Amino acid sequence: MRYSDYKKVLKKHHLRITDSRIDVLERFYNTIHALSFKDLEDQLEGYDRVTLYRTLNSFIDQGIIHRIPNDTGSACYGICFETCTPEQHYHNHIHFKCIKCGYIDCLPDTHIPLIDLPGYEIIDSNLIINGICKDCKKNAN
Amino acid sequence: MRYSDYKKVLKKHHLRITDSRIDVLERFYNTIHALSFKDLEDQLEGYDRVTLYRTLNSFIDQGIIHRIPNDTGSACYGICFETCTPEQHYHNHIHFKCIKCGYIDCLPDTHIPLIDLPGYEIIDSNLIINGICKDCKKNAN
DNA sequence: ACTTTTATGCAATATTATTGCAAAAAAGTA
DNA sequence: TACTTTTTTGCAATAATATTGCATAAAAGT
């Protein structure tokens, strides 16, 4: 993806073209893992922390990225595949968190099984699977 | 449950009997929802924040409670059903988070469907379903 | 009753996230 | 392009969440 493509993504999601948005977007498109705030902060020196937080929030609001629940306390963010709009996030892929390398990956070809919960109204669901990823299994021996 | 029962729980999990552990345990047994740190702090005045954090951590280590991932950044804790030991947490029930009242509930009679992820080694999984709980549906009209 | 081990409270510090506001940059318009 | 309006940025301050070290207190073991 090139600068002009990132611009298109931002335009499509009704966001102004700014340096930090282009750079953050580039990080998401060129990283196979989900990114934490800290990842972005380390990789994008020069921007104020506040700017990065606001950039992430604008992306979430506009359906460019989604927040991935995490029991460690610090949120992670994954890029949304084609389906999300400013009106609603539509993704129900599984997230995998590797306990060795710590990376969280979106598994785009998976989907969370439908669950029937009588009496409850289900809006969406998050499935995070913990385990050991392919790379870490390979490197184990 | 009475004081003597809470004592038994703590003993079974190799923890000393202290006031804060008894009181925190009581809160978990007498609350149908999962509890956040803030909930406990509000409900158990008189204990230092640090003591409450350490009490929660000792409960997690010993398999009395489990941490529930939460995309808001502040962790929630649910009590473990009979199955957990200091060696390993064994629970794979579904968690339900109501977007109206904000409460997270453990659904003890459910279980997370087994997922097959070729190449990955799965250790455990967390499924959090967001929606509207029975109570809030009832109160809606 | 005494000793050993563990937990608690306090103070300090670290980490993560948000807000207000003036200056800078982007987008819209003539 | 020059000008205006709107939004974004950086800085400083502050809030919210979590951890550590250490002396004292309490629990458990003998």
Side-chain angles (χ1 to χ4, degrees):
Chain A
M1 297 251 296
R2 290 174 304 168
Y3 177 65
S4 59
D5 298 310
Y6 298 129
K7 262 171 78 168
K8 274 181 208 148
V9 173
L10 292 176
K11 282 208 174 127
K12 185 177 149 198
H13 290 90
H14 314 111
L15 289 171
R16 289 194 174 190
I17 318 301
T18 70
D19 290 357
S20 80
R21 288 190 181 141
I22 296 287
D23 284 343
V24 170
L25 206 49
E26 184 278 335
R27 289 287 74 222
F28 277 105
Y29 276 101
N30 288 308
T31 309
I32 55 170
H33 311 296
L35 292 165
S36 67
F37 178 79
K38 204 173 171 321
D39 292 334
L40 288 166
E41 200 186 10
D42 292 344
Q43 293 170 28
L44 295 176
E45 291 179 31
Y47 293 107
D48 193 272
R49 306 166 47 78
V50 177
T51 300
L52 294 178
Y53 277 115
R54 289 195 269 226
T55 300
L56 289 170
N57 287 334
S58 69
F59 284 8
I60 291 173
D61 291 345
Q62 301 306 319
I64 297 179
I65 61 174
H66 56 279
R67 208 188 293 264
I68 304 169
N70 191 340
D71 61 14
T72 68
S74 65
C76 258
Y77 307 88
I79 195 149
C80 293
F81 306 107
E82 57 300 315
T83 49
C84 296
T85 68
E87 288 72 39
Q88 187 150 13
H89 285 270
Y90 282 114
H91 32 73
N92 83 329
H93 58 270
I94 294 170
H95 291 112
F96 188 90
K97 176 167 182 176
C98 176
I99 59 163
K100 297 236 172 178
C101 63
Y103 286 122
I104 296 178
D105 290 353
C106 293
L107 304 179
D109 298 329
T110 62
H111 60 274
I112 301 174
L114 280 178
I115 306 281
D116 184 39
L117 294 180
Y120 291 86
E121 180 177 334
I122 293 178
I123 292 173
D124 72 334
S125 20
N126 280 296
L127 175 56
I128 304 107
I129 298 184
N130 299 300
I132 301 174
C133 72
K134 293 177 181 177
D135 285 351
C136 286
K137 275 182 73 172
K138 220 176 291 168
N139 298 336
N141 47 5
Chain B
M1 298 251 297
R2 290 174 304 168
Y3 177 64
S4 58
D5 298 310
Y6 297 130
K7 261 170 78 168
K8 272 180 210 149
V9 173
L10 292 176
K11 282 207 173 126
K12 184 176 150 200
H13 290 89
H14 314 111
L15 289 172
R16 290 192 171 191
I17 318 303
T18 69
D19 291 357
S20 81
R21 288 189 182 142
I22 296 287
D23 284 342
V24 171
L25 206 48
E26 185 277 335
R27 287 289 71 222
F28 276 106
Y29 277 101
N30 288 307
T31 309
I32 56 170
H33 310 296
L35 291 166
S36 67
F37 178 80
K38 206 174 170 323
D39 292 334
L40 288 165
E41 200 186 9
D42 292 344
Q43 292 170 28
L44 295 176
E45 291 180 30
Y47 293 108
D48 193 89
R49 305 166 49 77
V50 177
T51 301
L52 294 178
Y53 276 116
R54 288 196 269 226
T55 300
L56 289 170
N57 286 334
S58 69
F59 284 9
I60 291 172
D61 292 345
Q62 300 305 321
I64 298 179
I65 61 174
H66 56 279
R67 208 188 294 264
I68 304 170
N70 191 339
D71 60 13
T72 68
S74 65
C76 259
Y77 308 88
I79 195 148
C80 292
F81 307 106
E82 58 299 317
T83 48
C84 295
T85 68
E87 288 71 40
Q88 186 148 14
H89 284 270
Y90 282 113
H91 32 72
N92 83 331
H93 59 270
I94 294 170
H95 291 113
F96 187 89
K97 176 167 183 178
C98 177
I99 59 162
K100 296 234 172 182
C101 62
Y103 286 123
I104 297 178
D105 290 353
C106 292
L107 305 178
D109 299 330
T110 62
H111 61 273
I112 301 174
L114 280 178
I115 305 279
D116 184 39
L117 293 180
Y120 292 86
E121 180 178 335
I122 294 178
I123 293 173
D124 73 333
S125 21
N126 280 295
L127 176 55
I128 304 108
I129 298 185
N130 299 300
I132 301 174
C133 71
K134 294 178 182 177
D135 285 352
C136 286
K137 274 181 74 173
K138 219 176 290 169
N139 299 335
N141 48 6

